[in-house]
Amino acid sequence: MREASGTTPVTRRDLARLRLASQRLVGERCSSPAEAVRWMACMQGQDLPGVLESVALRSLGPDGGPATISDVRAALADGSVVRSWPMRGTLHLVPGEDLGWMVGVAAGRSRSAAVGRLAALGVDDDGIARAHRILLEEIAGTRVRTRAQLQDRWRAEGMDVSGGRGYHLLYLFVVDGLVSQVDGTGDDDTGPDDTGPDGTRSAGPVHGFAHHGRWLAAHGVVPRTPPREQAVAEWLERFLRSHGPARVEDFRRWTGLPLRDVRPALEAVSGGLEAVSFDGATHWMDPAAPDRLAAAGRSADSVLLLPGFDEYLLGYGDRSHAVDPDHAGLIVPGNNGVFRRTVVHRSRVIATWRTVGSGGRRRIETAPFATLSGRQSTGIARAFRRHPT
C-alpha cells in the first residue's frame, strides 16, 4: 500500500475537527439531502429514523434552511436516494444512481453467503425462482410493497418464509440489483396499499420495496455503470473526501473490499488528495477540508446531538478521535453492535442521549460521562431545540 512521504503531522484534536468538517457536521452543509448522501457515498441505515436525522444534520432544505426529516424522506420518494444493502450485509442509504455498481463491486461474497444460507434452510434454486416470480408480480410497475406484504404473499402462495428464509430471499434480490427500499405515498401504485381495517390510509410515507430499475426510470434517475476499477477508485476518493482525514484501511474495512482492489484505487486518486500523518499512519483527505473547518469558526466546537449509527463514529475502525476507550462500552453496551445516540462537544463524545415524552412534553435525557458544565448543558438544550424533526 502506497504511503505518502513528508506528510504533515496532525494532533488527535485536529483529526477529529477535520473529520467533523469533512462530514459536513460543522460549517457548510450540503445543498440538499440527496447531495449529502452523494457526498458521503453511503450512510449506515439499519436504524431508519436515525439515518434520516444523520442526513438532515448534514444538509439544507429547499428553503435554504436546515433540512427536515420530511426533506430527507422526499429524496427517498424521488429516486435520488434509496435504502439497500450495498456492502457488509448492512443497510445503508445510497444515491439511487450508484446502487447498482456499488452492489456489483462489494456484495459478491454476501450474495454467495445468502444463497448458501437459503440452501441450508431448504430453499433450492427452484424455490428462489418461484419467490422471484411472485416478487415481480407484487412490485409490478412502480408499486411499493412492505417486507410484511411480500412475506404474506409468499406465504399465501405456499412458501415457507420462517426461520429467516424470507429475509434471505429479499436480501438476495436486493444484492442482485432487482429491488431497493424507497418511500411510497400509498395514494396510487407508486406506493403500497396501506389501507387499514377501517378503510383509512396511514399518514405520511410508507417505506417498502420497489423494482429498482423501474423506480429510477419513473423518476428520471439514470443509473451509472462505471467499470470496476474506476468504480472502486471513485468510491475510495468519495470516502476519503467525506470522511477524511481517514486511512485507506478505514475504507477497506468500511466496504469489505479486498486489498488487491484498494491498492490500485489509491494510486489512481491520491494525487488529488492531501495526506497528513497521525499516530504514525498516513491519512488522506479533501484538500478543501482545512478551509472548510476554518470557515466553520467557533461553531466547530459546538454541541452536536448525533444518532446512534452516525458515520462520525461508524466510519472508522479506530474511534479514539471521538471516544475515550473507557467510554466505548457506554455507547455500545456489552459490545452488542447497537450504538446509542451521542452528545459531541469540541469533537469529543461526552454523553449519550435519548428523548422521553411526546408532543409538547417531549424532552431530552442525557447520560453524561462526567459532570456537565453549564456551557455544555446550555449547548445541549440549544442543539435539541434545533434537532431535525
Side-chain angles (χ1 to χ4, degrees), residues 29 38 41 48 57 65 67 103 112 123 159 173 223 227 236 240 261 266 298 303 375 384:
R29 295 183 177 214
R38 192 172 294 116
L48 180 59
L57 286 167
V103 166
S112 298
V123 183
M159 295 194 66
F173 299 139
L236 172 63
L240 294 174
D261 286 342
L266 179 62
R298 294 175 62 186
V303 170
R375 175 176 295 182
F384 186 63

Side-chain angles (χ1 to χ4, degrees), residues 83-273:
R83 185 169 175 238
S84 190
W85 288 272
M87 57 192 185
R88 302 194 330 268
T90 303
L91 278 165
H92 287 74
L93 291 193
V94 186
E97 71 268 20
D98 291 331
L99 176 61
W101 66 258
M102 287 181 174
V103 166
V105 164
R109 285 186 295 178
S110 296
R111 187 191 191 283
S112 298
V115 172
R117 182 60 181 152
L118 284 167
L121 291 168
V123 183
D124 58 14
D125 289 346
D126 288 343
I128 292 172
R130 186 180 175 203
H132 182 271
R133 174 184 58 76
I134 296 168
L135 174 68
L136 288 178
E137 292 174 1
E138 280 294 298
I139 59 170
T142 54
R143 187 182 299 150
V144 178
R145 285 290 181 261
T146 65
R147 182 185 309 222
Q149 288 172 319
L150 291 172
Q151 299 213 24
D152 284 348
R153 174 65 192 282
W154 280 330
R155 286 191 197 96
E157 295 286 340
M159 295 194 66
D160 182 4
V161 294
S162 65
R165 293 172 180 84
Y167 167 82
H168 289 292
L169 283 167
L170 270 176
Y171 179 73
L172 178 62
F173 299 139
V174 165
V175 298
D176 279 347
L178 178 63
V179 293
S180 58
Q181 295 184 64
V182 300
D183 270 5
T185 64
D187 293 332
D188 51 35
D189 73 348
T190 62
D193 178 7
D194 58 336
T195 304
D198 60 355
T200 61
R201 290 183 178 272
S202 62
V206 180
H207 198 66
F209 293 86
H211 187 287
H212 182 66
R214 288 197 295 264
W215 186 263
L216 295 191
H219 294 89
V221 178
V222 179
R224 300 177 58 239
T225 56
R228 182 180 176 85
E229 283 192 11
Q230 179 183 327
V232 176
E234 176 185 325
W235 206 351
L236 172 63
E237 182 173 13
R238 286 165 70 174
F239 174 85
L240 294 174
R241 287 184 185 276
S242 62
H243 291 69
R247 301 170 302 152
V248 173
E249 174 58 26
D250 291 319
F251 173 75
R252 196 204 63 74
R253 171 192 157 276
W254 190 69
T255 56
L257 290 174
L259 202 56
R260 66 176 179 274
D261 286 342
V262 178
R263 278 198 190 99
L266 179 62
E267 293 293 337
V269 304
S270 59
L273 300 170

